[in-house]
Amino acid sequence: MRRPTLAVVAQAAGVSLKTASRVLNGEPNVASATRERVQDAAASLGFRRNAVAADLARGGLSRLVGFITGDLANEFYSALASGIERELREHGLQLLTASSDEDPDREASLTGELIERRVGALIVTPAGADQSALRSEIAAGLPVVVVDRPAAGMDVDTVVIDNRGGTRAAVAHLLAHGHRRIGFVGDEPHLWTYQERSAEFLAAMAEAGVPDAQRLVRSGAHDAAAARGLALELLGAPEPPTAILAANNRATVGTLQALRDIPGGADVAVVGFDDFELADLLGITVVAYDAVEMGRRAAELAVARSADPDRTVEQVVLPTRVVTRGSGERPPR
Amino acid sequence: MRRPTLAVVAQAAGVSLKTASRVLNGEPNVASATRERVQDAAASLGFRRNAVAADLARGGLSRLVGFITGDLANEFYSALASGIERELREHGLQLLTASSDEDPDREASLTGELIERRVGALIVTPAGADQSALRSEIAAGLPVVVVDRPAAGMDVDTVVIDNRGGTRAAVAHLLAHGHRRIGFVGDEPHLWTYQERSAEFLAAMAEAGVPDAQRLVRSGAHDAAAARGLALELLGAPEPPTAILAANNRATVGTLQALRDIPGGADVAVVGFDDFELADLLGITVVAYDAVEMGRRAAELAVARSADPDRTVEQVVLPTRVVTRGSGERPPR
DNA sequence: TCGGCACGCGACAGCGCTGTCAGCCGACGA
DNA sequence: TCGTCGGCTGACAGCGCTGTCGCGTGCCGA
């Protein structure tokens, strides 16, 4: 069945197309009798306005905001998405999501597709180092916000967390509990968050006078299984770490699996970066922050820039905090 | 900056608008020299086709598929979403998500918005009992698929899991390990999944000859905190259960929190409905199924129905299986 | 009484694209 | 030589809606 168009509604109500349009858009200067006739006609015909055509006629941009995420199934990204969606809803906007699987090529092609769909703004967690595709879109006037990681060498609205501060706090926490040999299980080296966290880890260790902390750093923990392997590697070495800083939620899970599987694993202290739902139940001390809020802020920036393309670029840094739950307070042995 | 239109590209390439359109759509019957000129012009102007206008010109539906979910931040829904997205991508379609927060009113208004956006199909996890809004859309020819719960009294493509079979298996598992007093911590009573699972729980208990199992059933565990309260209630009663069947992932978490907090809690057997990432680490026996696959199948059905509106309605039931990890094998004491 | 003004309404021209149809040209078989 | 056919191209109408502009009516104050 074909959907009735505005023209049909107008005819049924005996008014011009334009008047019907006015009524359906709640514009003023329509007699209330007319208004009612049109509304009745629309209701009885089951009319639905065509937002696509309306956006086109209004001259371009849709009321859609695109969000390109690394992996929707990851707790962190879905928290982001829900924060974004909630904020957009306040402004009558809708979320169009797409997963890049952390693949820069896919990210670029998705960017293209969303732009062709004429999204009003774009929120991205940049996977690749090269954001040149984005750059030209920004130049073309598209409001873009990057979340979780900055876009290399680009002057763009950004929302990140205080990775260095969080890392430093985590290391300080473990040092305060007497640890010196602290292992670091990190994500893919090309990710900015990994770089920040590992660099600060090394800096903090150096300041604490721990020699050769580099040998305690492992990278590549993109999923729990990989993280488990890395943790096992660290723990199997001579002079194994007495504590581990797991640099993201996947790494934490993998590290815990490794500790479960080796003798004495329960004695190793653990601090995880990223809070997760069951950390409480598992008694895991973590560096926490508010991912939903992060999404909300990003959406807020996107909306603000749409409204005023010339506003100054904002760089939001969200705080982190150490949440102690037991695993990070175990003494070295 | 304004984006160049096809007309501008055509002019720059010295061809008609239509020829430029042909080139950009990869249609045949264009001389390769012409094709090249157009492509060069498009590239140098930074042209992006306007998918909105294209969809409109083609007569209506967009290449967007809407997904109305209960709560994006819930692991289960994001698994669904990622399955849907993956499948849609294969068909060159995009996902438009929206959260209803399990609120029937919001669900209805979101449905409306997505339809106005002229989505090509709609995938819904119905929150309310009343799906009449959907009904009229289906009548209007919109392909609709419901996931996780059937739409009451509607003949529509559906993907659900074998709730009854899973529940029965869980109960059988606990009975086999010697339990008789098995508690049931369930979701909101108005949810279909709750009704299925609790009904089958009672049936299985009755068949096993357990008297008055109704007293062991609690509902309202929409989040972990509520679930915790319900579990505490069950465990505080005279003749408390020696095992608990937690009817969804939130309920499982809450139950585990409750067990952690009471003396002897570690002796109570637990089986959870819904697998979750850390169930392995926590050693929780669960009734598992493939949520990503569920999403994939739903998307598949949506695509199939778009292609052929007259195909017979399909009701997919996905299997569940009990994954034993320790918590469900503890004997009663 | 009359100018002015606010209100209610409709005609019309697009928004950026695609489908249809018709025209032109060179090539090829008869 | 002519008819025909296939490859290539463009003119034009229209998808469903909104912005602009202009017209007629009734009411106000002067």
Side-chain angles (χ1 to χ4, degrees):
Chain A
M1 168 191 138
R2 247 179 105 26
R3 265 173 212 295
T5 69
L6 235 199
V8 174
V9 174
Q11 194 169 25
V15 298
S16 81
L17 204 166
K18 179 61 199 180
T19 296
S21 163
R22 275 192 268 258
V23 172
L24 275 319
N25 285 302
E27 287 173 29
N29 297 342
V30 179
S32 57
T34 311
R35 187 175 295 276
E36 214 159 294
R37 276 217 315 287
V38 173
Q39 280 164 342
D40 289 352
S44 73
L45 290 170
F47 171 77
R48 292 290 198 172
R49 67 197 293 277
N50 185 331
V52 174
D55 283 342
L56 180 62
R58 283 209 196 85
L61 294 191
S62 69
R63 300 194 62 74
L64 254 31
V65 171
F67 175 45
I68 300 183
T69 165
D71 172 14
L72 254 190
N74 184 322
E75 190 171 354
F76 166 65
Y77 292 114
S78 54
L80 268 185
S82 86
I84 293 173
E85 213 237 332
R86 204 158 310 166
E87 179 68 20
L88 291 182
R89 188 193 299 170
E90 303 279 305
H91 299 272
L93 300 168
Q94 278 172 352
L95 220 210
L96 187 53
T97 50
S99 278
S100 69
D101 293 338
E102 304 284 7
D103 170 358
D105 288 346
R106 230 187 102 59
E107 176 183 314
S109 82
L110 286 174
T111 306
E113 285 175 35
L114 294 187
I115 288 168
E116 295 187 350
R117 186 100 2 238
R118 290 302 188 266
V119 291
L122 207 50
I123 300 176
V124 187
T125 58
D130 176 29
Q131 244 54 59
S132 50
L134 274 186
R135 186 190 304 274
S136 66
E137 297 310 330
I138 294 173
L142 181 72
V144 172
V145 179
V146 300
V147 211
D148 188 40
R149 321 150 193 176
M154 273 170 55
D155 197 33
V156 56
D157 291 305
T158 305
V159 182
V160 295
I161 55 165
D162 180 12
N163 287 285
R164 294 198 174 248
T167 305
R168 186 161 284 265
V171 173
H173 186 80
L174 289 169
L175 288 170
H177 282 83
H179 296 275
R180 302 279 295 167
R181 295 200 306 278
I182 304 173
F184 181 94
V185 177
D187 209 324
E188 301 289 346
H190 69 85
L191 290 178
W192 179 78
T193 46
Y194 169 82
Q195 292 159 12
E196 287 287 293
R197 294 171 193 178
S198 63
E200 192 67 16
F201 171 77
L202 288 172
M205 291 291 271
E207 282 175 34
V210 179
D212 196 21
Q214 184 65 58
R215 76 171 183 92
L216 295 167
V217 173
R218 293 292 181 282
S219 66
H222 185 59
D223 57 40
R228 178 171 175 280
L230 297 175
L232 286 175
E233 197 181 308
L234 275 175
L235 294 162
E239 297 222 316
T242 59
I244 288 186
L245 173 54
N248 68 44
N249 54 6
R250 305 291 210 214
T252 306
V253 173
T255 298
L256 293 175
Q257 288 171 343
L259 292 178
R260 178 194 53 188
D261 296 345
I262 63 169
D267 296 328
V268 177
V270 174
V271 174
F273 211 110
D274 298 343
D275 203 357
F276 52 98
E277 195 184 357
L278 295 174
D280 167 44
L281 204 54
L282 287 163
I284 307 302
T285 294
V286 298
V287 176
Y289 55 89
D290 190 341
V292 173
E293 170 68 9
M294 210 168 155
R296 206 192 58 71
R297 292 295 288 276
E300 207 173 62
L301 286 181
V303 170
R305 180 150 312 278
S306 305
D308 172 14
D310 298 323
R311 70 199 294 278
T312 60
V313 168
E314 224 171 305
Q315 314 271 354
V316 175
V317 178
L318 263 30
T320 62
R321 64 184 197 289
V322 174
V323 178
T324 62
R325 297 200 180 105
S327 73
E329 292 74 51
R330 296 196 272 261
R333 48 142 246 152
Chain B
M1 168 192 138
R2 247 180 107 23
R3 266 171 211 295
T5 69
L6 235 199
V8 175
V9 173
Q11 192 169 25
V15 298
S16 80
L17 204 163
K18 178 63 201 181
T19 297
S21 163
R22 276 191 268 256
V23 172
L24 276 316
N25 285 302
E27 287 173 27
N29 295 342
V30 179
S32 57
T34 311
R35 187 175 295 275
E36 215 160 293
R37 277 216 315 287
V38 173
Q39 279 164 343
D40 288 354
S44 73
L45 289 170
F47 171 76
R48 292 289 199 172
R49 69 197 295 276
N50 185 330
V52 174
D55 283 342
L56 181 61
R58 284 210 196 84
L61 294 193
S62 70
R63 302 195 59 75
L64 254 32
V65 171
F67 175 44
I68 299 182
T69 164
D71 172 14
L72 253 190
N74 184 320
E75 189 172 354
F76 166 65
Y77 293 114
S78 54
L80 268 186
S82 86
I84 293 173
E85 212 236 331
R86 204 157 311 166
E87 178 68 18
L88 291 182
R89 189 194 297 169
E90 304 279 308
H91 299 273
L93 300 169
Q94 278 171 351
L95 218 210
L96 188 53
T97 48
S99 278
S100 69
D101 293 337
E102 305 284 7
D103 171 359
D105 288 346
R106 234 189 99 59
E107 176 183 312
S109 82
L110 285 174
T111 306
E113 284 175 35
L114 294 187
I115 287 168
E116 294 187 351
R117 189 86 22 231
R118 290 302 188 264
V119 291
L122 207 50
I123 300 176
V124 187
T125 58
D130 176 28
Q131 243 53 57
S132 50
L134 275 186
R135 186 191 303 275
S136 66
E137 297 310 329
I138 294 173
L142 181 72
V144 172
V145 178
V146 300
V147 211
D148 189 40
R149 320 151 194 175
M154 272 168 58
D155 196 32
V156 57
D157 291 304
T158 305
V159 182
V160 295
I161 56 166
D162 179 13
N163 286 287
R164 294 199 174 247
T167 304
R168 186 159 284 265
V171 173
H173 186 80
L174 288 169
L175 288 170
H177 282 82
H179 296 276
R180 302 278 294 168
R181 294 199 308 276
I182 304 173
F184 181 94
V185 178
D187 208 324
E188 301 290 346
H190 69 85
L191 290 178
W192 180 79
T193 45
Y194 169 81
Q195 292 161 12
E196 287 287 292
R197 294 172 194 179
S198 63
E200 190 68 17
F201 170 78
L202 288 172
M205 291 290 273
E207 282 174 32
V210 179
D212 197 20
Q214 183 65 56
R215 78 175 181 89
L216 296 167
V217 174
R218 292 292 181 282
S219 66
H222 185 59
D223 56 41
R228 178 172 175 280
L230 297 176
L232 286 176
E233 198 181 308
L234 276 176
L235 294 162
E239 297 221 317
T242 60
I244 289 186
L245 173 54
N248 67 45
N249 55 5
R250 304 291 208 214
T252 305
V253 172
T255 298
L256 293 175
Q257 289 171 343
L259 293 178
R260 177 194 55 188
D261 295 346
I262 62 169
D267 295 329
V268 177
V270 174
V271 174
F273 211 109
D274 296 343
D275 204 357
F276 52 99
E277 196 184 357
L278 295 174
D280 167 43
L281 204 54
L282 287 164
I284 308 302
T285 295
V286 297
V287 177
Y289 54 88
D290 190 341
V292 173
E293 170 69 7
M294 208 167 155
R296 207 192 58 70
R297 292 294 289 275
E300 206 173 64
L301 285 181
V303 170
R305 179 150 312 277
S306 306
D308 173 15
D310 298 323
R311 70 198 294 278
T312 59
V313 169
E314 224 172 304
Q315 314 269 355
V316 175
V317 178
L318 263 31
T320 63
R321 65 184 195 289
V322 174
V323 178
T324 62
R325 298 200 180 103
S327 73
E329 292 73 51
R330 295 197 272 262
R333 47 144 245 150

